[in-house]
Amino acid sequence: QQQVKQSPQSLIVQKGGISIINCAYENTAFDYFPWYQQFPGKGPALLIAIRPDVSEKKEGRFTISFNKSAKQFSLHIMDSQPGDSATYFCAASLTGTASKLTFGTGTRLQVTL
Amino acid sequence: GAVVSQHPSWVICKSGTSVKIECRSLDFQATTMFWYRQFPKQSLMLMATSNEGSKATYEQGVEKDKFLINHASLTLSTLTVTSAHPEDSSFYICSAHRGTDTQYFGPGTRLTVL
């Protein structure tokens, strides 16, 4: 019930291409879905987040697509750059105080020249 | 805004000693802070939830006497790894929860126990 499944485990994309990472959740009570970017040896940084009342959210080159009926959401990185090479984690939680995040397993993205 | 710091960024200690890691929210008050552990190439594992002025809530399987958490103020939480052993070597990350927003993470602390 609490799992968030993330795929693929790793991804190689050419510079300028589109990177797509998918996540699926089980708990229908989840109502907040953030994506985090983590570079080696650093803490995760919030990238973008969405709530289930919208199907898509875009911030710059990053877009979250959300499908409530399928209990799936995905991160699209447009015009991928070598600087985007990092590990990406999706997560889900219940909003409100002290809401715990349930993380996906992570996707290692490598953007090649 | 929403900056979280951790100190130290890395620490090496001998087996059997205790190590304290500090987590501070620099520009906001955090009623709740979280402590995570992350092994290489793995996801974050929640260890405990820390609420200001009250006892921490530990996740199943996490030894509360081993990992002491104190949340003395709205901007500071500490994690003390007591009697550390090599298997406690890991990357420890804290996060701070601001209101109804998401969690903001610190830069992490690399602990190596010799």
Side-chain angles (χ1 to χ4, degrees):
Chain A
Q1 272 284 318
Q2 295 296 323
Q3 277 189 322
V4 176
K5 295 181 180 179
Q6 183 172 346
S7 63
Q9 188 175 24
S10 62
L11 181 62
I12 299 175
V13 173
Q14 278 195 326
K15 179 182 176 181
I18 303 173
S19 303
I20 302 174
I21 304 171
N22 301 297
C23 284
Y25 62 98
E26 299 175 355
N27 187 346
T28 55
F30 285 145
D31 58 1
Y32 185 73
F33 303 89
W35 284 90
Y36 287 89
Q37 178 190 57
Q38 185 180 30
F39 293 103
K42 305 295 183 182
L46 178 64
L47 201 58
I48 187 172
I50 197 169
R51 297 185 188 276
D53 53 345
V54 296
S55 60
E56 187 175 282
K57 183 175 181 179
K58 183 176 181 179
E59 289 184 2
R61 296 185 294 111
F62 301 94
T63 300
I64 298 179
S65 296
F66 186 83
N67 186 329
K68 188 174 182 179
S69 60
K71 293 187 288 185
Q72 296 176 345
F73 58 110
S74 59
L75 176 68
H76 292 63
I77 305 175
M78 312 300 288
D79 187 27
S80 298
Q81 299 296 313
D84 297 330
S85 297
T87 299
Y88 292 81
F89 293 97
C90 63
S93 74
L94 302 172
T95 53
T97 58
S99 51
K100 295 194 293 187
L101 287 169
T102 299
F103 279 92
T105 50
T107 297
R108 299 186 74 186
L109 170 65
Q110 181 181 355
V111 181
T112 61
L113 293 172
Chain B
V3 178
V4 177
S5 70
Q6 278 183 246
H7 178 81
S9 56
W10 58 270
V11 56
I12 301 174
C13 69
K14 291 182 179 180
S15 185
T17 60
S18 295
V19 175
K20 179 184 284 188
I21 303 170
E22 292 186 350
C23 176
R24 294 181 186 272
S25 55
L26 299 184
D27 52 1
F28 66 99
Q29 293 183 330
T31 53
T32 304
M33 290 184 171
F34 300 86
W35 286 96
Y36 295 84
R37 185 173 182 177
Q38 187 177 35
F39 292 104
K41 299 183 181 180
Q42 292 189 22
S43 190
L44 286 79
M45 182 189 79
L46 179 65
M47 299 175 65
T49 302
S50 167
N51 291 296
E52 185 265 339
S54 62
K55 290 184 178 180
T57 301
Y58 291 82
E59 294 300 301
Q60 190 173 11
V62 178
E63 300 176 60
K64 61 180 181 180
D65 295 329
K66 174 76 171 176
F67 300 100
L68 300 178
I69 293 172
N70 182 273
H71 194 156
S73 76
L74 289 172
T75 60
L76 172 65
S77 177
T78 60
L79 168 68
T80 301
V81 183
T82 62
S83 186
H85 291 284
E87 58 266 31
D88 298 324
S89 298
S90 190
F91 192 51
Y92 292 88
I93 311 172
C94 72
S95 71
H97 191 274
R98 185 182 70 177
T100 57
D101 281 347
T102 192
Q103 295 176 32
Y104 296 91
F105 285 82
T109 296
R110 173 75 58 194
L111 170 63
T112 301
V113 184
L114 301 177

